[in-house]
PDB file of all heavy atoms in Angstrom:
ATOM      1  N   ARG B  35     149.211 -40.607  82.012  1.00 96.00           N
ATOM      2  CA  ARG B  35     149.064 -40.508  80.568  1.00 96.00           C
ATOM      3  C   ARG B  35     147.772 -39.789  80.196  1.00 96.00           C
ATOM      4  O   ARG B  35     146.746 -39.937  80.864  1.00 96.00           O
ATOM      5  CB  ARG B  35     148.995 -41.923  79.947  1.00 96.00           C
ATOM      6  CG  ARG B  35     150.211 -42.773  80.200  1.00 96.00           C
ATOM      7  CD  ARG B  35     151.410 -42.286  79.400  1.00 96.00           C
ATOM      8  NE  ARG B  35     152.471 -43.275  79.467  1.00 96.00           N
ATOM      9  CZ  ARG B  35     152.856 -44.016  78.424  1.00 96.00           C
ATOM     10  NH1 ARG B  35     152.307 -43.851  77.250  1.00 96.00           N
ATOM     11  NH2 ARG B  35     153.818 -44.907  78.556  1.00 96.00           N
ATOM     12  N   SER B  36     147.820 -39.088  79.083  1.00 96.00           N
ATOM     13  CA  SER B  36     146.593 -38.571  78.479  1.00 96.00           C
ATOM     14  C   SER B  36     146.186 -39.512  77.341  1.00 96.00           C
ATOM     15  O   SER B  36     146.915 -40.437  76.995  1.00 96.00           O
ATOM     16  CB  SER B  36     146.815 -37.150  77.960  1.00 96.00           C
ATOM     17  OG  SER B  36     147.856 -37.162  76.992  1.00 96.00           O
ATOM     18  N   VAL B  37     145.003 -39.264  76.792  1.00 97.00           N
ATOM     19  CA  VAL B  37     144.452 -40.137  75.760  1.00 97.00           C
ATOM     20  C   VAL B  37     144.026 -39.303  74.560  1.00 97.00           C
ATOM     21  O   VAL B  37     143.337 -38.292  74.723  1.00 97.00           O
ATOM     22  CB  VAL B  37     143.237 -40.931  76.289  1.00 97.00           C
ATOM     23  CG1 VAL B  37     142.708 -41.884  75.213  1.00 97.00           C
ATOM     24  CG2 VAL B  37     143.599 -41.689  77.559  1.00 97.00           C
ATOM     25  N   LEU B  38     144.439 -39.715  73.368  1.00 97.00           N
ATOM     26  CA  LEU B  38     143.928 -39.117  72.136  1.00 97.00           C
ATOM     27  C   LEU B  38     142.786 -39.992  71.618  1.00 97.00           C
ATOM     28  O   LEU B  38     142.987 -41.179  71.370  1.00 97.00           O
ATOM     29  CB  LEU B  38     145.040 -39.030  71.080  1.00 97.00           C
ATOM     30  CG  LEU B  38     146.259 -38.186  71.447  1.00 97.00           C
ATOM     31  CD1 LEU B  38     147.302 -38.250  70.329  1.00 97.00           C
ATOM     32  CD2 LEU B  38     145.858 -36.737  71.719  1.00 97.00           C
ATOM     33  N   TRP B  39     141.619 -39.387  71.491  1.00 98.00           N
ATOM     34  CA  TRP B  39     140.447 -40.139  71.018  1.00 98.00           C
ATOM     35  C   TRP B  39     140.344 -40.021  69.492  1.00 98.00           C
ATOM     36  O   TRP B  39     140.406 -38.912  68.955  1.00 98.00           O
ATOM     37  CB  TRP B  39     139.178 -39.598  71.662  1.00 98.00           C
ATOM     38  CG  TRP B  39     138.980 -39.975  73.104  1.00 98.00           C
ATOM     39  CD1 TRP B  39     139.921 -40.078  74.088  1.00 98.00           C
ATOM     40  CD2 TRP B  39     137.722 -40.287  73.728  1.00 98.00           C
ATOM     41  NE1 TRP B  39     139.339 -40.432  75.282  1.00 98.00           N
ATOM     42  CE2 TRP B  39     137.998 -40.570  75.090  1.00 98.00           C
ATOM     43  CE3 TRP B  39     136.396 -40.356  73.280  1.00 98.00           C
ATOM     44  CZ2 TRP B  39     136.988 -40.911  75.999  1.00 98.00           C
ATOM     45  CZ3 TRP B  39     135.397 -40.692  74.171  1.00 98.00           C
ATOM     46  CH2 TRP B  39     135.696 -40.974  75.520  1.00 98.00           C
ATOM     47  N   HIS B  40     140.144 -41.163  68.832  1.00 98.00           N
ATOM     48  CA  HIS B  40     140.056 -41.212  67.368  1.00 98.00           C
ATOM     49  C   HIS B  40     138.790 -41.931  66.927  1.00 98.00           C
ATOM     50  O   HIS B  40     138.744 -43.172  66.946  1.00 98.00           O
ATOM     51  CB  HIS B  40     141.248 -41.980  66.791  1.00 98.00           C
ATOM     52  CG  HIS B  40     142.595 -41.487  67.185  1.00 98.00           C
ATOM     53  ND1 HIS B  40     143.227 -40.464  66.518  1.00 98.00           N
ATOM     54  CD2 HIS B  40     143.447 -41.879  68.173  1.00 98.00           C
ATOM     55  CE1 HIS B  40     144.418 -40.258  67.075  1.00 98.00           C
ATOM     56  NE2 HIS B  40     144.575 -41.105  68.079  1.00 98.00           N
ATOM     57  N   PRO B  41     137.755 -41.206  66.506  1.00 98.00           N
ATOM     58  CA  PRO B  41     136.571 -41.906  65.986  1.00 98.00           C
ATOM     59  C   PRO B  41     136.882 -42.553  64.635  1.00 98.00           C
ATOM     60  O   PRO B  41     137.595 -41.967  63.810  1.00 98.00           O
ATOM     61  CB  PRO B  41     135.537 -40.788  65.830  1.00 98.00           C
ATOM     62  CG  PRO B  41     136.331 -39.528  65.691  1.00 98.00           C
ATOM     63  CD  PRO B  41     137.608 -39.745  66.471  1.00 98.00           C
ATOM     64  N   ILE B  42     136.394 -43.766  64.428  1.00 97.00           N
ATOM     65  CA  ILE B  42     136.532 -44.443  63.131  1.00 97.00           C
ATOM     66  C   ILE B  42     135.174 -44.980  62.694  1.00 97.00           C
ATOM     67  O   ILE B  42     134.187 -44.878  63.443  1.00 97.00           O
ATOM     68  CB  ILE B  42     137.554 -45.611  63.199  1.00 97.00           C
ATOM     69  CG1 ILE B  42     137.145 -46.623  64.267  1.00 97.00           C
ATOM     70  CG2 ILE B  42     138.965 -45.079  63.458  1.00 97.00           C
ATOM     71  CD1 ILE B  42     137.884 -47.954  64.167  1.00 97.00           C
ATOM     72  N   LEU B  43     135.130 -45.526  61.503  1.00 95.00           N
ATOM     73  CA  LEU B  43     133.900 -46.138  60.983  1.00 95.00           C
ATOM     74  C   LEU B  43     134.171 -47.620  60.733  1.00 95.00           C
ATOM     75  O   LEU B  43     134.889 -47.978  59.795  1.00 95.00           O
ATOM     76  CB  LEU B  43     133.455 -45.458  59.685  1.00 95.00           C
ATOM     77  CG  LEU B  43     133.124 -43.968  59.778  1.00 95.00           C
ATOM     78  CD1 LEU B  43     132.769 -43.413  58.391  1.00 95.00           C
ATOM     79  CD2 LEU B  43     131.968 -43.706  60.751  1.00 95.00           C
ATOM     80  N   LEU B  44     133.600 -48.480  61.565  1.00 92.00           N
ATOM     81  CA  LEU B  44     133.843 -49.914  61.416  1.00 92.00           C
ATOM     82  C   LEU B  44     133.338 -50.436  60.071  1.00 92.00           C
ATOM     83  O   LEU B  44     133.877 -51.405  59.547  1.00 92.00           O
ATOM     84  CB  LEU B  44     133.172 -50.698  62.545  1.00 92.00           C
ATOM     85  CG  LEU B  44     133.885 -50.668  63.898  1.00 92.00           C
ATOM     86  CD1 LEU B  44     133.122 -51.523  64.905  1.00 92.00           C
ATOM     87  CD2 LEU B  44     135.317 -51.174  63.773  1.00 92.00           C
ATOM     88  N   GLY B  45     132.312 -49.783  59.535  1.00 86.00           N
ATOM     89  CA  GLY B  45     131.812 -50.212  58.229  1.00 86.00           C
ATOM     90  C   GLY B  45     132.904 -50.189  57.163  1.00 86.00           C
ATOM     91  O   GLY B  45     132.942 -51.041  56.272  1.00 86.00           O
ATOM     92  N   VAL B  46     133.811 -49.231  57.284  1.00 83.00           N
ATOM     93  CA  VAL B  46     134.920 -49.133  56.331  1.00 83.00           C
ATOM     94  C   VAL B  46     135.964 -50.217  56.613  1.00 83.00           C
ATOM     95  O   VAL B  46     136.441 -50.894  55.697  1.00 83.00           O
ATOM     96  CB  VAL B  46     135.572 -47.730  56.398  1.00 83.00           C
ATOM     97  CG1 VAL B  46     136.748 -47.637  55.428  1.00 83.00           C
ATOM     98  CG2 VAL B  46     134.537 -46.649  56.095  1.00 83.00           C
ATOM     99  N   THR B  47     136.303 -50.399  57.890  1.00 80.00           N
ATOM    100  CA  THR B  47     137.302 -51.425  58.213  1.00 80.00           C
ATOM    101  C   THR B  47     136.761 -52.824  57.903  1.00 80.00           C
ATOM    102  O   THR B  47     137.514 -53.701  57.483  1.00 80.00           O
ATOM    103  CB  THR B  47     137.750 -51.361  59.701  1.00 80.00           C
ATOM    104  OG1 THR B  47     136.676 -51.781  60.536  1.00 80.00           O
ATOM    105  CG2 THR B  47     138.188 -49.969  60.086  1.00 80.00           C
ATOM    106  N   PHE B  48     135.468 -53.029  58.080  1.00 82.00           N
ATOM    107  CA  PHE B  48     134.890 -54.345  57.786  1.00 82.00           C
ATOM    108  C   PHE B  48     135.072 -54.704  56.312  1.00 82.00           C
ATOM    109  O   PHE B  48     135.248 -55.868  55.965  1.00 82.00           O
ATOM    110  CB  PHE B  48     133.403 -54.389  58.153  1.00 82.00           C
ATOM    111  CG  PHE B  48     133.135 -54.491  59.636  1.00 82.00           C
ATOM    112  CD1 PHE B  48     131.857 -54.301  60.135  1.00 82.00           C
ATOM    113  CD2 PHE B  48     134.155 -54.783  60.540  1.00 82.00           C
ATOM    114  CE1 PHE B  48     131.596 -54.414  61.498  1.00 82.00           C
ATOM    115  CE2 PHE B  48     133.908 -54.879  61.910  1.00 82.00           C
ATOM    116  CZ  PHE B  48     132.614 -54.696  62.378  1.00 82.00           C
ATOM    117  N   LYS B  49     135.012 -53.693  55.439  1.00 80.00           N
ATOM    118  CA  LYS B  49     135.216 -53.969  54.012  1.00 80.00           C
ATOM    119  C   LYS B  49     136.635 -54.487  53.765  1.00 80.00           C
ATOM    120  O   LYS B  49     136.854 -55.323  52.899  1.00 80.00           O
ATOM    121  CB  LYS B  49     134.959 -52.710  53.184  1.00 80.00           C
ATOM    122  CG  LYS B  49     133.482 -52.492  52.920  1.00 80.00           C
ATOM    123  CD  LYS B  49     133.218 -51.258  52.065  1.00 80.00           C
ATOM    124  CE  LYS B  49     131.730 -50.890  52.145  1.00 80.00           C
ATOM    125  NZ  LYS B  49     131.512 -49.457  51.963  1.00 80.00           N
ATOM    126  N   ALA B  50     137.603 -53.986  54.547  1.00 79.00           N
ATOM    127  CA  ALA B  50     138.996 -54.404  54.365  1.00 79.00           C
ATOM    128  C   ALA B  50     139.249 -55.796  54.927  1.00 79.00           C
ATOM    129  O   ALA B  50     140.063 -56.551  54.407  1.00 79.00           O
ATOM    130  CB  ALA B  50     139.933 -53.402  55.035  1.00 79.00           C
ATOM    131  N   THR B  51     138.545 -56.135  56.009  1.00 77.00           N
ATOM    132  CA  THR B  51     138.845 -57.391  56.697  1.00 77.00           C
ATOM    133  C   THR B  51     137.864 -58.501  56.331  1.00 77.00           C
ATOM    134  O   THR B  51     138.129 -59.673  56.610  1.00 77.00           O
ATOM    135  CB  THR B  51     138.756 -57.204  58.232  1.00 77.00           C
ATOM    136  OG1 THR B  51     137.460 -56.671  58.561  1.00 77.00           O
ATOM    137  CG2 THR B  51     139.832 -56.237  58.711  1.00 77.00           C
ATOM    138  N   GLY B  52     136.716 -58.129  55.730  1.00 78.00           N
ATOM    139  CA  GLY B  52     135.673 -59.128  55.483  1.00 78.00           C
ATOM    140  C   GLY B  52     134.890 -59.469  56.734  1.00 78.00           C
ATOM    141  O   GLY B  52     134.079 -60.385  56.733  1.00 78.00           O
ATOM    142  N   LEU B  53     135.135 -58.732  57.824  1.00 78.00           N
ATOM    143  CA  LEU B  53     134.395 -58.977  59.063  1.00 78.00           C
ATOM    144  C   LEU B  53     132.986 -58.382  58.966  1.00 78.00           C
ATOM    145  O   LEU B  53     132.708 -57.556  58.098  1.00 78.00           O
ATOM    146  CB  LEU B  53     135.141 -58.374  60.250  1.00 78.00           C
ATOM    147  CG  LEU B  53     136.521 -58.988  60.550  1.00 78.00           C
ATOM    148  CD1 LEU B  53     137.279 -58.160  61.578  1.00 78.00           C
ATOM    149  CD2 LEU B  53     136.367 -60.420  61.045  1.00 78.00           C
ATOM    150  N   VAL B  54     132.103 -58.806  59.836  1.00 79.00           N
ATOM    151  CA  VAL B  54     130.725 -58.303  59.879  1.00 79.00           C
ATOM    152  C   VAL B  54     130.384 -57.980  61.330  1.00 79.00           C
ATOM    153  O   VAL B  54     131.084 -58.417  62.247  1.00 79.00           O
ATOM    154  CB  VAL B  54     129.718 -59.346  59.326  1.00 79.00           C
ATOM    155  CG1 VAL B  54     129.995 -59.632  57.855  1.00 79.00           C
ATOM    156  CG2 VAL B  54     129.770 -60.640  60.140  1.00 79.00           C
ATOM    157  N   PRO B  55     129.299 -57.211  61.546  1.00 79.00           N
ATOM    158  CA  PRO B  55     128.923 -56.936  62.938  1.00 79.00           C
ATOM    159  C   PRO B  55     128.704 -58.243  63.700  1.00 79.00           C
ATOM    160  O   PRO B  55     128.077 -59.184  63.196  1.00 79.00           O
ATOM    161  CB  PRO B  55     127.621 -56.147  62.794  1.00 79.00           C
ATOM    162  CG  PRO B  55     127.710 -55.498  61.449  1.00 79.00           C
ATOM    163  CD  PRO B  55     128.443 -56.495  60.584  1.00 79.00           C
TER     164      PRO B  55
END
Side-chain angles (χ1 to χ4, degrees):
Chain B
R35 300 288 191 111
S36 59
V37 182
L38 299 177
W39 285 38
H40 305 275
I42 57 166
L43 299 177
L44 283 182
V46 179
T47 70
F48 285 168
K49 278 181 195 151
T51 55
L53 296 170
V54 297

